[in-house]
Amino acid sequence: MSKPLRRQFDVLVVGGGPAGMAAAACAAACGCQVGIVDDNPDLGGQIWRRETTNPTSDAAQWAARLRVAGSEVLAGARVFHQPEPGILRAETAENLYELSFEKLVLATGAREGFLPFPGWTLPHVMGAGGLQALVKSGLAISGKRVVVAGSGPLLIAVAAYLRRHGAEIAMICEQAPWTSLVRFGAALLGQPQKIGQGFSLRKELSRVPFLASSWPIRAEDGEKLKAVTIRRGHAHERVFCDYLACGFHLLPNTELAALLGCRIEDEYVQVDELQQTTVPGVYCAGEPTGIGGVELSLAEGQIAGFAAAGRSENAKKLFHTRAKLNKFAKVLNRVFSPRAELKSLPQPETVVCRCEDVTYGRLRQHTSWRAAKLQTRCGMGPCQGRVCGPATQFLFDWRPDSVRPPIFPTRFENFAVTANHREPEHVEVTGGKQ
Ligand SMILES: Cc1cc2nc3c(=O)[nH]c(=O)nc-3n(C[C@H](O)[C@H](O)[C@H](O)COP(=O)(O)OP(=O)(O)OC[C@H]3O[C@@H](n4cnc5c(N)ncnc54)[C@H](O)[C@@H]3O)c2cc1C
Protein backbone atom coordinates (compact mmCIF):
# COMPACT_ATOMS: atom_id res chain seq x y z
CA MET A 1 0.00 0.00 0.00
CA SER A 2 1.41 3.50 -0.92
CA LYS A 3 2.64 5.70 1.88
CA PRO A 4 1.60 9.29 1.18
CA LEU A 5 4.27 11.97 0.69
CA ARG A 6 3.35 14.80 3.04
CA ARG A 7 3.54 18.52 2.26
CA GLN A 8 2.35 21.45 4.35
CA PHE A 9 1.43 24.91 3.02
CA ASP A 10 0.07 28.19 4.30
CA VAL A 11 -1.90 28.45 1.06
CA LEU A 12 -2.62 25.54 -1.25
CA VAL A 13 -4.00 26.25 -4.73
CA VAL A 14 -5.76 23.52 -6.71
CA GLY A 15 -5.69 24.29 -10.44
CA GLY A 16 -2.83 25.80 -12.39
CA GLY A 17 -4.76 27.80 -15.00
CA PRO A 18 -4.78 31.62 -15.06
CA ALA A 19 -6.86 31.87 -11.86
CA GLY A 20 -4.68 29.43 -9.92
CA MET A 21 -1.40 30.91 -11.16
CA ALA A 22 -2.55 34.43 -10.22
CA ALA A 23 -3.74 33.27 -6.78
CA ALA A 24 -0.50 31.41 -6.07
CA ALA A 25 1.71 34.29 -7.31
CA CYS A 26 -0.13 36.86 -5.16
CA ALA A 27 -0.19 34.72 -2.01
CA ALA A 28 3.50 33.84 -2.41
CA ALA A 29 4.42 37.49 -3.03
CA CYS A 30 2.86 38.24 0.38
CA GLY A 31 5.33 35.86 2.01
CA CYS A 32 3.13 32.77 2.34
CA GLN A 33 4.41 29.28 1.76
CA VAL A 34 2.40 28.28 -1.30
CA GLY A 35 1.77 25.03 -3.13
CA ILE A 36 0.04 24.81 -6.51
CA VAL A 37 -1.22 21.50 -7.84
CA ASP A 38 -2.48 20.74 -11.34
CA ASP A 39 -3.23 17.53 -13.16
CA ASN A 40 -1.51 18.61 -16.39
CA PRO A 41 2.24 18.16 -16.94
CA ASP A 42 2.66 21.98 -17.04
CA LEU A 43 0.91 24.98 -15.54
CA GLY A 44 -1.27 27.13 -17.82
CA GLY A 45 -4.70 25.48 -17.66
CA GLN A 46 -6.84 25.29 -20.78
CA ILE A 47 -6.12 28.57 -22.50
CA TRP A 48 -2.39 28.73 -21.72
CA ARG A 49 -1.62 25.06 -22.39
CA ARG A 50 2.00 24.90 -23.62
CA GLU A 51 2.17 28.73 -23.62
CA THR A 52 4.23 29.42 -20.50
CA THR A 53 7.49 28.97 -22.44
CA ASN A 54 6.54 31.54 -25.11
CA PRO A 55 8.41 34.53 -23.64
CA THR A 56 6.08 37.22 -25.07
CA SER A 57 2.90 35.65 -23.71
CA ASP A 58 0.83 36.64 -20.65
CA ALA A 59 1.24 33.03 -19.56
CA ALA A 60 5.04 33.40 -19.40
CA GLN A 61 4.72 36.63 -17.44
CA TRP A 62 2.51 34.97 -14.81
CA ALA A 63 4.80 31.93 -14.73
CA ALA A 64 7.74 34.30 -14.07
CA ARG A 65 5.83 36.10 -11.29
CA LEU A 66 5.14 32.73 -9.71
CA ARG A 67 8.78 31.69 -9.98
CA VAL A 68 10.05 34.95 -8.49
CA ALA A 69 7.56 34.84 -5.62
CA GLY A 70 8.47 31.20 -4.96
CA SER A 71 6.04 28.33 -4.59
CA GLU A 72 6.08 24.55 -4.87
CA VAL A 73 4.53 23.31 -8.11
CA LEU A 74 3.06 19.81 -8.11
CA ALA A 75 2.36 19.18 -11.80
CA GLY A 76 0.71 16.03 -13.10
CA ALA A 77 -1.02 15.60 -9.73
CA ARG A 78 -4.78 15.24 -9.43
CA VAL A 79 -6.62 16.00 -6.21
CA PHE A 80 -9.22 13.29 -5.62
CA HIS A 81 -10.24 13.45 -1.97
CA GLN A 82 -10.36 15.37 1.30
CA PRO A 83 -9.85 12.72 4.01
CA GLU A 84 -10.37 15.36 6.70
CA PRO A 85 -10.73 19.15 6.80
CA GLY A 86 -7.39 20.86 6.06
CA ILE A 87 -5.96 17.91 4.11
CA LEU A 88 -6.30 16.95 0.45
CA ARG A 89 -5.07 13.83 -1.28
CA ALA A 90 -3.60 13.95 -4.76
CA GLU A 91 -1.99 11.30 -6.93
CA THR A 92 0.59 11.45 -9.70
CA ALA A 93 1.64 8.59 -12.00
CA GLU A 94 4.06 7.45 -9.27
CA ASN A 95 3.06 8.93 -5.94
CA LEU A 96 0.30 9.66 -3.50
CA TYR A 97 0.46 13.07 -1.80
CA GLU A 98 -1.14 14.31 1.37
CA LEU A 99 -1.35 18.10 1.19
CA SER A 100 -2.10 20.04 4.39
CA PHE A 101 -3.05 23.70 4.27
CA GLU A 102 -4.14 26.65 6.37
CA LYS A 103 -6.00 28.27 3.45
CA LEU A 104 -7.15 26.70 0.22
CA VAL A 105 -7.88 28.28 -3.16
CA LEU A 106 -9.94 26.19 -5.58
CA ALA A 107 -9.23 27.22 -9.17
CA THR A 108 -10.39 24.08 -10.94
CA GLY A 109 -11.62 25.82 -14.11
CA ALA A 110 -14.20 24.58 -16.58
CA ARG A 111 -14.73 21.92 -19.20
CA GLU A 112 -16.65 21.84 -22.46
CA GLY A 113 -20.35 21.08 -22.56
CA PHE A 114 -21.48 18.22 -24.82
CA LEU A 115 -24.93 17.46 -26.15
CA PRO A 116 -25.65 14.08 -27.69
CA PHE A 117 -26.77 13.77 -31.32
CA PRO A 118 -26.59 10.79 -33.67
CA GLY A 119 -22.94 10.06 -34.43
CA TRP A 120 -21.42 12.27 -31.72
CA THR A 121 -19.39 9.33 -30.41
CA LEU A 122 -17.70 8.58 -33.77
CA PRO A 123 -13.92 8.86 -33.99
CA HIS A 124 -12.90 12.34 -35.21
CA VAL A 125 -15.94 13.95 -33.60
CA MET A 126 -14.57 15.74 -30.56
CA GLY A 127 -14.87 18.78 -28.38
CA ALA A 128 -13.70 22.04 -29.97
CA GLY A 129 -11.29 22.71 -27.09
CA GLY A 130 -10.45 19.00 -27.06
CA LEU A 131 -9.30 19.07 -30.69
CA GLN A 132 -7.32 22.24 -30.01
CA ALA A 133 -5.63 20.53 -27.04
CA LEU A 134 -4.71 17.53 -29.22
CA VAL A 135 -3.19 19.82 -31.86
CA LYS A 136 -1.24 21.64 -29.12
CA SER A 137 0.05 18.22 -28.09
CA GLY A 138 1.21 17.36 -31.61
CA LEU A 139 -1.78 16.05 -33.64
CA ALA A 140 -1.20 16.94 -37.34
CA ILE A 141 -4.18 18.98 -38.53
CA SER A 142 -2.62 20.57 -41.63
CA GLY A 143 -4.73 19.95 -44.74
CA LYS A 144 -7.62 18.45 -42.74
CA ARG A 145 -11.13 19.76 -43.31
CA VAL A 146 -12.85 20.68 -40.05
CA VAL A 147 -16.40 21.73 -39.18
CA VAL A 148 -16.47 23.73 -35.94
CA ALA A 149 -19.87 23.72 -34.23
CA GLY A 150 -21.75 24.19 -30.98
CA SER A 151 -21.85 27.42 -29.02
CA GLY A 152 -19.71 30.11 -27.44
CA PRO A 153 -16.68 32.27 -28.23
CA LEU A 154 -14.42 29.23 -27.87
CA LEU A 155 -15.58 28.11 -31.34
CA ILE A 156 -14.01 31.19 -32.95
CA ALA A 157 -10.79 30.89 -30.93
CA VAL A 158 -10.47 27.21 -31.86
CA ALA A 159 -11.30 27.76 -35.55
CA ALA A 160 -8.62 30.49 -35.75
CA TYR A 161 -6.09 28.28 -33.95
CA LEU A 162 -6.74 25.29 -36.24
CA ARG A 163 -6.54 27.48 -39.34
CA ARG A 164 -3.20 28.89 -38.17
CA HIS A 165 -2.02 25.28 -38.02
CA GLY A 166 -3.06 24.56 -41.58
CA ALA A 167 -6.60 23.18 -41.21
CA GLU A 168 -9.31 24.07 -43.70
CA ILE A 169 -12.31 25.30 -41.70
CA ALA A 170 -15.39 24.27 -43.71
CA MET A 171 -17.74 26.38 -41.57
CA ILE A 172 -18.45 27.57 -38.04
CA CYS A 173 -21.96 26.73 -36.83
CA GLU A 174 -23.23 28.64 -33.79
CA GLN A 175 -26.55 27.54 -32.29
CA ALA A 176 -27.35 31.02 -30.88
CA PRO A 177 -29.43 33.28 -33.15
CA TRP A 178 -28.12 36.52 -34.67
CA THR A 179 -30.36 38.56 -32.33
CA SER A 180 -28.43 37.17 -29.33
CA LEU A 181 -25.08 37.53 -31.05
CA VAL A 182 -25.78 41.22 -31.66
CA ARG A 183 -26.39 41.59 -27.89
CA PHE A 184 -23.06 39.89 -27.28
CA GLY A 185 -21.37 42.29 -29.74
CA ALA A 186 -22.86 45.25 -27.85
CA ALA A 187 -21.51 43.88 -24.54
CA LEU A 188 -18.07 43.59 -26.14
CA LEU A 189 -18.07 47.37 -26.68
CA GLY A 190 -17.44 47.76 -22.93
CA GLN A 191 -14.33 45.50 -23.18
CA PRO A 192 -11.72 47.30 -25.32
CA GLN A 193 -9.23 44.43 -25.00
CA LYS A 194 -11.78 41.94 -26.30
CA ILE A 195 -12.77 44.17 -29.24
CA GLY A 196 -9.16 44.03 -30.44
CA GLN A 197 -9.08 40.23 -30.07
CA GLY A 198 -12.44 39.97 -31.84
CA PHE A 199 -11.26 42.00 -34.85
CA SER A 200 -8.05 40.04 -35.25
CA LEU A 201 -9.92 36.69 -35.07
CA ARG A 202 -12.49 38.00 -37.57
CA LYS A 203 -9.65 38.92 -39.94
CA GLU A 204 -8.03 35.50 -39.58
CA LEU A 205 -11.34 33.81 -40.38
CA SER A 206 -12.44 36.28 -43.07
CA ARG A 207 -13.30 33.67 -45.70
CA VAL A 208 -14.79 31.07 -43.35
CA PRO A 209 -18.61 30.88 -43.39
CA PHE A 210 -20.09 31.69 -39.97
CA LEU A 211 -23.67 30.47 -39.52
CA ALA A 212 -25.91 31.49 -36.63
CA SER A 213 -28.94 29.38 -35.56
CA SER A 214 -27.28 26.26 -36.94
CA TRP A 215 -26.04 23.06 -35.36
CA PRO A 216 -25.07 19.48 -36.22
CA ILE A 217 -27.93 17.01 -36.31
CA ARG A 218 -25.99 13.92 -37.46
CA ALA A 219 -22.41 12.77 -37.97
CA GLU A 220 -22.00 9.89 -40.38
CA ASP A 221 -20.00 6.83 -41.16
CA GLY A 222 -19.16 3.49 -39.67
CA GLU A 223 -15.67 3.70 -38.29
CA LYS A 224 -14.57 7.25 -38.79
CA LEU A 225 -16.28 10.52 -39.55
CA LYS A 226 -17.12 11.20 -43.19
CA ALA A 227 -19.75 13.94 -43.17
CA VAL A 228 -21.87 16.04 -40.87
CA THR A 229 -25.43 17.14 -41.49
CA ILE A 230 -25.99 20.68 -40.34
CA ARG A 231 -29.34 22.23 -39.61
CA ARG A 232 -29.26 25.63 -41.24
CA GLY A 233 -32.48 27.54 -40.58
CA HIS A 234 -35.14 25.14 -41.88
CA ALA A 235 -32.80 23.44 -44.36
CA HIS A 236 -30.34 20.59 -43.83
CA GLU A 237 -26.89 20.62 -45.41
CA ARG A 238 -24.49 17.68 -45.64
CA VAL A 239 -20.85 18.77 -45.26
CA PHE A 240 -17.91 16.43 -45.92
CA CYS A 241 -15.11 16.79 -43.40
CA ASP A 242 -12.29 14.98 -41.58
CA TYR A 243 -13.11 16.34 -38.11
CA LEU A 244 -16.10 17.78 -36.32
CA ALA A 245 -14.99 20.00 -33.43
CA CYS A 246 -18.14 20.46 -31.37
CA GLY A 247 -18.66 21.94 -27.91
CA PHE A 248 -21.60 23.73 -26.34
CA HIS A 249 -20.05 26.51 -24.25
CA LEU A 250 -18.33 25.69 -20.93
CA LEU A 251 -19.37 24.07 -17.65
CA PRO A 252 -17.75 24.84 -14.28
CA ASN A 253 -15.73 22.12 -12.51
CA THR A 254 -17.40 22.24 -9.11
CA GLU A 255 -16.97 18.63 -7.92
CA LEU A 256 -14.09 19.33 -5.53
CA ALA A 257 -15.86 22.38 -4.08
CA ALA A 258 -19.00 20.26 -3.56
CA LEU A 259 -16.96 17.51 -1.89
CA LEU A 260 -15.56 20.08 0.54
CA GLY A 261 -19.08 21.21 1.40
CA CYS A 262 -18.97 24.60 -0.38
CA ARG A 263 -22.38 25.89 -1.38
CA ILE A 264 -23.17 25.51 -5.08
CA GLU A 265 -26.11 27.39 -6.56
CA ASP A 266 -27.26 27.58 -10.17
CA GLU A 267 -24.26 25.41 -11.10
CA TYR A 268 -21.65 27.78 -9.61
CA VAL A 269 -19.62 27.91 -6.40
CA GLN A 270 -20.95 30.72 -4.20
CA VAL A 271 -18.34 33.18 -2.93
CA ASP A 272 -18.27 36.45 -0.99
CA GLU A 273 -16.51 39.61 -2.17
CA LEU A 274 -13.11 38.20 -1.17
CA GLN A 275 -13.81 35.00 -3.17
CA GLN A 276 -14.30 33.03 0.05
CA THR A 277 -16.74 30.13 -0.22
CA THR A 278 -19.25 29.20 2.46
CA VAL A 279 -16.50 27.05 4.03
CA PRO A 280 -14.25 29.40 6.05
CA GLY A 281 -10.67 29.47 4.75
CA VAL A 282 -11.63 27.92 1.41
CA TYR A 283 -11.58 30.37 -1.52
CA CYS A 284 -12.63 29.81 -5.11
CA ALA A 285 -11.56 31.70 -8.23
CA GLY A 286 -11.99 31.49 -11.99
CA GLU A 287 -14.55 29.51 -13.92
CA PRO A 288 -16.08 27.44 -11.04
CA THR A 289 -17.65 30.69 -9.81
CA GLY A 290 -18.89 31.70 -13.28
CA ILE A 291 -17.79 31.35 -16.91
CA GLY A 292 -16.26 34.70 -17.82
CA GLY A 293 -12.98 34.39 -19.72
CA VAL A 294 -9.32 34.68 -18.86
CA GLU A 295 -9.34 38.31 -17.63
CA LEU A 296 -12.04 37.55 -15.04
CA SER A 297 -10.20 34.39 -13.94
CA LEU A 298 -7.04 36.46 -13.43
CA ALA A 299 -8.86 39.16 -11.43
CA GLU A 300 -10.59 36.60 -9.19
CA GLY A 301 -7.37 34.62 -8.77
CA GLN A 302 -5.49 37.70 -7.57
CA ILE A 303 -8.29 38.62 -5.15
CA ALA A 304 -8.40 35.07 -3.76
CA GLY A 305 -4.60 34.92 -3.42
CA PHE A 306 -4.38 38.21 -1.56
CA ALA A 307 -7.37 37.37 0.63
CA ALA A 308 -5.96 33.94 1.51
CA ALA A 309 -2.72 35.68 2.49
CA GLY A 310 -4.67 38.04 4.77
CA ARG A 311 -4.12 41.08 2.54
CA SER A 312 -7.70 42.12 1.88
CA GLU A 313 -6.62 45.73 1.26
CA ASN A 314 -4.70 44.54 -1.85
CA ALA A 315 -7.66 42.37 -2.91
CA LYS A 316 -10.07 45.32 -2.72
CA LYS A 317 -8.10 47.24 -5.36
CA LEU A 318 -9.27 44.64 -7.90
CA PHE A 319 -12.98 44.78 -7.07
CA HIS A 320 -13.76 47.37 -9.75
CA THR A 321 -12.07 45.35 -12.53
CA ARG A 322 -13.88 42.21 -11.43
CA ALA A 323 -17.27 43.97 -11.34
CA LYS A 324 -16.84 45.21 -14.92
CA LEU A 325 -15.81 41.78 -16.17
CA ASN A 326 -18.67 40.11 -14.30
CA LYS A 327 -21.20 42.19 -16.22
CA PHE A 328 -19.77 40.87 -19.45
CA ALA A 329 -19.81 37.29 -18.11
CA LYS A 330 -23.56 37.52 -17.41
CA VAL A 331 -24.27 38.45 -21.04
CA LEU A 332 -21.93 35.71 -22.27
CA ASN A 333 -23.83 33.00 -20.40
CA ARG A 334 -27.27 34.24 -21.45
CA VAL A 335 -26.32 34.46 -25.11
CA PHE A 336 -24.70 31.04 -25.37
CA SER A 337 -27.09 28.94 -23.30
CA PRO A 338 -28.39 26.06 -25.44
CA ARG A 339 -31.76 26.49 -27.13
CA ALA A 340 -34.63 24.10 -26.40
CA GLU A 341 -34.64 22.61 -29.95
CA LEU A 342 -31.35 20.86 -29.13
CA LYS A 343 -33.27 18.58 -26.74
CA SER A 344 -34.78 16.80 -29.74
CA LEU A 345 -31.40 15.87 -31.28
CA PRO A 346 -30.87 12.41 -29.72
CA GLN A 347 -32.68 9.41 -31.21
CA PRO A 348 -33.66 6.40 -29.03
CA GLU A 349 -30.45 4.57 -30.05
CA THR A 350 -28.16 7.59 -29.49
CA VAL A 351 -25.65 6.93 -26.73
CA VAL A 352 -25.85 9.54 -23.96
CA CYS A 353 -23.50 8.01 -21.35
CA ARG A 354 -20.53 7.01 -23.47
CA CYS A 355 -18.54 5.47 -20.59
CA GLU A 356 -21.30 2.93 -19.88
CA ASP A 357 -22.96 2.84 -23.33
CA VAL A 358 -26.38 3.97 -22.13
CA THR A 359 -28.77 5.16 -24.83
CA TYR A 360 -31.30 7.95 -24.82
CA GLY A 361 -34.07 5.36 -25.26
CA ARG A 362 -33.09 3.60 -22.02
CA LEU A 363 -32.67 6.81 -20.07
CA ARG A 364 -36.03 8.29 -20.95
CA GLN A 365 -37.76 5.39 -19.18
CA HIS A 366 -36.59 6.91 -15.88
CA THR A 367 -37.71 9.97 -13.97
CA SER A 368 -34.58 10.96 -12.05
CA TRP A 369 -30.78 10.90 -12.23
CA ARG A 370 -30.62 8.56 -9.27
CA ALA A 371 -33.09 6.03 -10.74
CA ALA A 372 -31.33 6.14 -14.13
CA LYS A 373 -27.97 5.64 -12.43
CA LEU A 374 -29.16 2.66 -10.39
CA GLN A 375 -30.92 0.98 -13.32
CA THR A 376 -28.55 1.74 -16.21
CA ARG A 377 -25.15 2.66 -14.67
CA CYS A 378 -25.39 6.06 -16.39
CA GLY A 379 -22.74 8.35 -14.84
CA MET A 380 -20.85 5.50 -13.16
CA GLY A 381 -17.97 5.22 -15.65
CA PRO A 382 -14.55 6.85 -15.61
CA CYS A 383 -15.85 10.40 -16.27
CA GLN A 384 -18.10 10.08 -13.19
CA GLY A 385 -20.99 11.86 -14.89
CA ARG A 386 -18.97 14.88 -16.03
CA VAL A 387 -20.26 14.46 -19.60
CA CYS A 388 -23.62 12.68 -19.27
CA GLY A 389 -24.59 14.50 -16.03
CA PRO A 390 -24.93 17.94 -17.65
CA ALA A 391 -26.39 16.33 -20.81
CA THR A 392 -29.19 14.62 -18.83
CA GLN A 393 -29.71 17.82 -16.88
CA PHE A 394 -30.38 19.63 -20.15
CA LEU A 395 -32.39 16.80 -21.75
CA PHE A 396 -34.51 15.70 -18.75
CA ASP A 397 -33.94 18.41 -16.12
CA TRP A 398 -32.22 15.88 -13.83
CA ARG A 399 -29.47 16.84 -11.44
CA PRO A 400 -26.76 14.66 -9.90
CA ASP A 401 -27.70 14.43 -6.22
CA SER A 402 -24.34 13.89 -4.57
CA VAL A 403 -20.58 14.01 -4.98
CA ARG A 404 -18.56 11.17 -3.48
CA PRO A 405 -14.86 10.54 -3.22
CA PRO A 406 -12.82 9.77 -5.17
CA ILE A 407 -13.89 12.59 -7.50
CA PHE A 408 -11.60 11.15 -10.21
CA PRO A 409 -10.73 7.53 -10.97
CA THR A 410 -7.88 6.67 -8.62
CA ARG A 411 -5.49 3.75 -8.22
CA PHE A 412 -7.02 1.21 -5.87
CA GLU A 413 -4.05 1.25 -3.49
CA ASN A 414 -4.36 5.03 -3.10
CA PHE A 415 -8.05 4.87 -2.46
CA ALA A 416 -7.49 2.06 0.03
CA VAL A 417 -5.28 4.43 2.08
CA THR A 418 -8.13 6.91 1.96
CA ALA A 419 -10.77 4.36 2.88
CA ASN A 420 -8.67 3.20 5.84
CA HIS A 421 -8.48 6.76 7.03
CA ARG A 422 -12.20 7.35 7.36
CA GLU A 423 -15.53 6.42 5.73
CA PRO A 424 -16.13 8.73 2.76
CA GLU A 425 -18.80 11.29 3.41
CA HIS A 426 -21.86 11.60 1.23
CA VAL A 427 -22.20 15.25 0.22
CA GLU A 428 -25.58 16.56 -0.86
CA VAL A 429 -25.81 19.02 -3.75
CA THR A 430 -28.60 21.56 -3.40
CA GLY A 431 -31.29 22.37 -5.98
CA GLY A 432 -32.92 20.65 -8.97
CA LYS A 433 -34.78 17.39 -9.43
CA GLN A 434 -32.91 14.42 -8.08
C1 LIG B 1 -10.93 22.80 -23.44
C2 LIG B 1 -10.91 24.31 -23.30
C3 LIG B 1 -10.17 25.09 -24.18
C4 LIG B 1 -10.15 26.48 -24.07
N1 LIG B 1 -9.46 27.23 -24.99
C5 LIG B 1 -9.54 28.57 -24.94
C6 LIG B 1 -8.94 29.39 -25.95
O1 LIG B 1 -8.32 28.89 -26.88
N2 LIG B 1 -9.07 30.75 -25.85
C7 LIG B 1 -9.78 31.33 -24.83
O2 LIG B 1 -9.90 32.56 -24.78
N3 LIG B 1 -10.33 30.59 -23.85
C8 LIG B 1 -10.27 29.25 -23.91
N4 LIG B 1 -10.89 28.50 -22.94
C9 LIG B 1 -11.54 29.19 -21.81
C10 LIG B 1 -10.50 29.52 -20.74
O3 LIG B 1 -9.99 28.31 -20.25
C11 LIG B 1 -11.09 30.31 -19.61
O4 LIG B 1 -11.64 31.49 -20.12
C12 LIG B 1 -10.13 30.72 -18.49
O5 LIG B 1 -8.89 30.96 -18.96
C13 LIG B 1 -10.17 29.70 -17.39
O6 LIG B 1 -9.14 29.90 -16.45
P1 LIG B 1 -9.20 29.14 -15.06
O7 LIG B 1 -7.90 29.34 -14.40
O8 LIG B 1 -10.44 29.52 -14.34
O9 LIG B 1 -9.38 27.60 -15.45
P2 LIG B 1 -8.53 26.58 -16.33
O10 LIG B 1 -7.69 27.24 -17.31
O11 LIG B 1 -9.56 25.59 -16.80
O12 LIG B 1 -7.58 25.88 -15.25
C14 LIG B 1 -8.04 24.96 -14.29
C15 LIG B 1 -6.97 23.92 -14.07
O13 LIG B 1 -7.30 23.13 -12.93
C16 LIG B 1 -6.98 21.76 -13.21
N5 LIG B 1 -7.77 20.94 -12.29
C17 LIG B 1 -9.11 20.84 -12.17
N6 LIG B 1 -9.45 19.99 -11.18
C18 LIG B 1 -8.28 19.53 -10.66
C19 LIG B 1 -7.98 18.59 -9.62
N7 LIG B 1 -8.94 17.99 -8.91
N8 LIG B 1 -6.67 18.32 -9.36
C20 LIG B 1 -5.67 18.94 -10.05
N9 LIG B 1 -5.92 19.83 -11.06
C21 LIG B 1 -7.20 20.12 -11.35
C22 LIG B 1 -7.39 21.63 -14.68
O14 LIG B 1 -6.83 20.52 -15.32
C23 LIG B 1 -6.85 22.95 -15.24
O15 LIG B 1 -5.49 22.82 -15.63
C24 LIG B 1 -10.88 27.10 -23.02
C25 LIG B 1 -11.61 26.32 -22.12
C26 LIG B 1 -11.63 24.93 -22.24
C27 LIG B 1 -12.44 24.11 -21.26
Side-chain angles (χ1 to χ4, degrees), residues 14-21 37-40 42-49 74 77-80 90 107-112 128-130 132-133 136 153-154 157-158 161 197 249-251 253 256 285-288 290-295 297-298 386 407-408:
V14 183
M21 288 171 76
V37 46
D38 192 282
D39 52 2
N40 289 290
D42 303 301
L43 296 183
Q46 303 292 357
I47 183 174
W48 289 344
R49 192 185 296 276
L74 289 164
R78 181 172 267 177
V79 173
F80 64 91
T108 47
R111 58 184 183 270
E112 285 185 273
Q132 182 192 43
K136 285 186 182 182
L154 182 59
V158 169
Y161 179 87
Q197 282 167 11
H249 203 31
L250 300 177
L251 302 167
N253 292 326
L256 183 57
E287 312 252 75
I291 306 297
V294 61
E295 292 87 1
S297 286
L298 282 170
R386 281 176 175 77
I407 56 165
F408 285 108

Side-chain angles (χ1 to χ4, degrees), residues 38-153:
D38 192 282
D39 52 2
N40 289 290
D42 303 301
L43 296 183
Q46 303 292 357
I47 183 174
W48 289 344
R49 192 185 296 276
R50 308 218 159 207
E51 273 284 306
T52 50
T53 48
N54 169 4
T56 57
S57 67
D58 290 347
Q61 284 173 30
W62 277 101
R65 279 181 71 167
L66 195 54
R67 249 191 329 273
V68 170
S71 61
E72 182 171 356
V73 178
L74 289 164
R78 181 172 267 177
V79 173
F80 64 91
H81 185 33
Q82 172 186 243
E84 59 186 76
I87 298 179
L88 291 180
R89 291 228 159 143
E91 75 169 14
T92 61
E94 295 86 29
N95 293 314
L96 171 66
Y97 283 91
E98 190 165 276
L99 309 170
S100 313
F101 55 86
E102 293 296 319
K103 299 282 169 59
L104 177 68
V105 180
L106 301 174
T108 47
R111 58 184 183 270
E112 285 185 273
F114 296 105
L115 295 178
F117 55 88
W120 76 293
T121 53
L122 280 176
H124 288 200
V125 178
M126 46 188 83
L131 181 57
Q132 182 192 43
L134 282 179
V135 174
K136 285 186 182 182
S137 303
L139 176 79
I141 200 73
S142 184
K144 302 291 184 197
R145 191 170 152 83
V146 185
V147 171
V148 179
S151 201

